[in-house]
Amino acid sequence: MTRIPPDRIAAIEARRDELQALMATGDLAEARSLEAMTRDGDEELRAMAADELHANRVALETAERHLALALLPRDAADERPAMLEIRAGTGGDEAALFAGDLFRMYQRYADARAWRVELISASASEAGGYKEIVASVTGQGVFARLKFESGVHRVQRVPVTESGGRIHTSAATVAVLPEAEDVDVQIDDKDLRIDVYRSSGPGGQSVNTTDSAVRITHLPTGLVVIQQDEKSQHKNKAKALKVLRTRLYEAERERLASARAGARKSMVGSGDRSERIRTYNFPQGRVTDHRINLTLHRLPEILQGEMDELLDALIAEDEAERLAQLDAA
């Protein structure tokens, strides 16, 4: 157990009001009294005082860490809903099936936390997976919990189409973007080119006989959003604008973060979608997050949405890295 230095105790005392609200046990005055008892009295009393002093110091250090975490600058987007985008990568039909597995994993996790998942658009593959799927996730602390999921997710398994029993490696990319509000991103109508056309996707005759599909191009940035899942042109336009606003908001967040932090890259990664972050190995039943060297032999449970152990570890690593930077400043 690391002893709290006197100057650190003085710093804690200076913030005593905050500490008292956070600590369930442990008191600085009691710590000093117990420390005196470890030097005086009989052997049994000294041993009892030492045990209590240890527990007291653990409580103080825990409270101090909680306070430090509470004082860390928070991501302003943490309480926002998020736009979840999953796209099949290398691997053909198997990658598309894996993209579907990932979407269902997040959907189950959202259900367990009473979050709402609204499908924005989906491009299904012939094998039953998704070439691309975009959804809006709303609820308490959505972005804070899911923001480290952005990146390349890799799967190692025997595809259902593989007759020889060989293990294949496929991948899908995940992007988790905080949703923007109207006040965050002002979009001028003159900066948009809106094209409407007949939907070419699935949905039945009623979709394909009207010009309901919408393609919006944001002229200043060149961003293009296509929406054709709804039968109504109005609904497709509203969804496309929501996606566009979110992507513009995230681009501005990244620009500001880069300007503030330079090339800083945290322990849990940059969130870049080109970065491989995790491997799902079916033969060994394990999930490995490469950013924090964490391996869990609970692949079936994780795919069923039991992601808290994984997400908690990522959040804890990020907090530890930011605390270390705070101490070094």
Side-chain angles (χ1 to χ4, degrees):
M1 184 68 189
T2 303
R3 188 178 186 278
I4 305 176
D7 61 337
R8 196 60 170 155
I9 290 180
I12 295 173
E13 284 185 304
R15 299 181 297 184
R16 191 180 182 89
D17 289 343
E18 294 98 329
L19 281 166
Q20 286 179 334
L22 289 168
M23 51 199 269
T25 60
D27 181 86
L28 293 169
E30 182 183 359
R32 291 196 178 93
S33 175
L34 288 169
E35 192 165 5
M37 290 173 65
T38 61
R39 296 190 296 268
D40 302 317
D42 60 41
E43 185 177 346
E44 184 178 357
L45 183 61
R46 288 199 301 271
M48 290 175 60
D51 289 342
E52 290 189 33
L53 180 61
H54 174 80
N56 189 280
R57 283 175 173 167
V58 169
L60 284 172
E61 290 182 353
T62 299
E64 183 185 10
R65 185 177 187 279
H66 287 170
L67 176 60
L69 289 175
L71 296 177
L72 278 177
R74 292 184 60 81
D75 188 335
D78 273 355
E79 294 305 316
R80 300 247 178 160
M83 192 76 68
L84 174 66
E85 303 180 357
I86 304 174
R87 294 176 177 84
T90 55
D93 286 342
E94 172 63 11
L97 289 170
F98 179 50
D101 291 338
L102 289 176
F103 177 70
R104 285 183 289 273
M105 176 182 74
Y106 293 123
Q107 199 169 34
R108 289 162 182 152
Y109 183 69
D111 289 343
R113 299 187 75 87
W115 294 345
R116 180 170 175 263
V117 178
E118 178 191 3
L119 187 66
I120 300 295
S121 65
S123 175
S125 71
E126 295 180 0
Y130 292 101
K131 298 175 185 176
E132 176 183 283
I133 186 164
V134 179
S136 172
V137 186
T138 57
Q140 185 175 2
V142 169
F143 186 67
R145 296 296 295 173
L146 295 182
K147 62 183 177 182
F148 297 123
E149 290 301 290
S150 293
V152 176
H153 295 240
R154 186 176 67 170
V155 64
Q156 295 172 328
R157 64 184 175 189
V158 179
V160 293
T161 55
E162 170 60 57
S163 58
R166 292 177 300 173
I167 297 172
H168 288 225
T169 298
S170 305
T173 61
V174 173
V176 179
L177 312 177
E179 285 192 12
E181 299 175 358
D182 291 347
V183 295
D184 297 319
V185 180
Q186 298 296 326
I187 300 178
D188 199 321
D189 288 343
K190 68 180 178 60
D191 290 336
L192 300 178
R193 185 176 71 237
I194 301 176
D195 303 304
V196 295
Y197 57 96
R198 189 160 298 176
S199 173
S200 60
Q205 293 182 350
S206 60
V207 171
N208 297 316
T209 56
T210 60
D211 290 338
S212 60
V214 175
R215 178 175 56 244
I216 298 180
T217 304
H218 186 247
L219 299 175
T221 61
L223 278 173
V224 177
V225 177
I226 297 173
Q227 183 65 37
Q228 61 178 7
D229 287 52
E230 299 287 348
K231 298 177 183 179
S232 161
Q233 182 186 125
H234 175 73
K235 289 182 178 178
N236 279 330
K237 180 181 177 182
K239 283 189 173 183
L241 282 172
K242 183 176 183 178
V243 173
L244 177 63
R245 187 174 286 109
T246 294
R247 292 180 183 171
L248 288 172
Y249 175 62
E250 175 64 8
E252 180 64 10
R253 270 172 42 86
E254 289 179 354
R255 185 190 69 79
L256 291 174
S258 177
R260 285 194 302 264
R264 175 188 177 272
K265 184 177 180 180
S266 71
M267 293 291 290
V268 293
S270 63
D272 189 333
R273 276 166 274 176
S274 66
E275 178 186 12
R276 186 194 72 181
I277 63 168
R278 193 174 298 148
T279 295
Y280 303 73
N281 186 296
F282 275 69
Q284 297 179 18
R286 63 173 170 83
V287 176
T288 298
D289 196 288
H290 305 290
R291 297 164 293 180
I292 56 175
N293 296 320
L294 174 67
T295 295
L296 300 175
H297 292 273
R298 301 179 60 249
L299 186 147
E301 292 85 355
I302 290 171
L303 289 178
Q304 285 299 315
E306 297 180 19
M307 300 178 64
D308 275 332
E309 184 177 3
L310 190 57
L311 299 182
D312 286 344
L314 288 163
I315 292 169
E317 194 71 48
D318 175 64
E319 290 174 342
E321 172 70 8
R322 291 193 293 145
L323 281 174
Q325 291 183 343
L326 193 65
D327 289 340

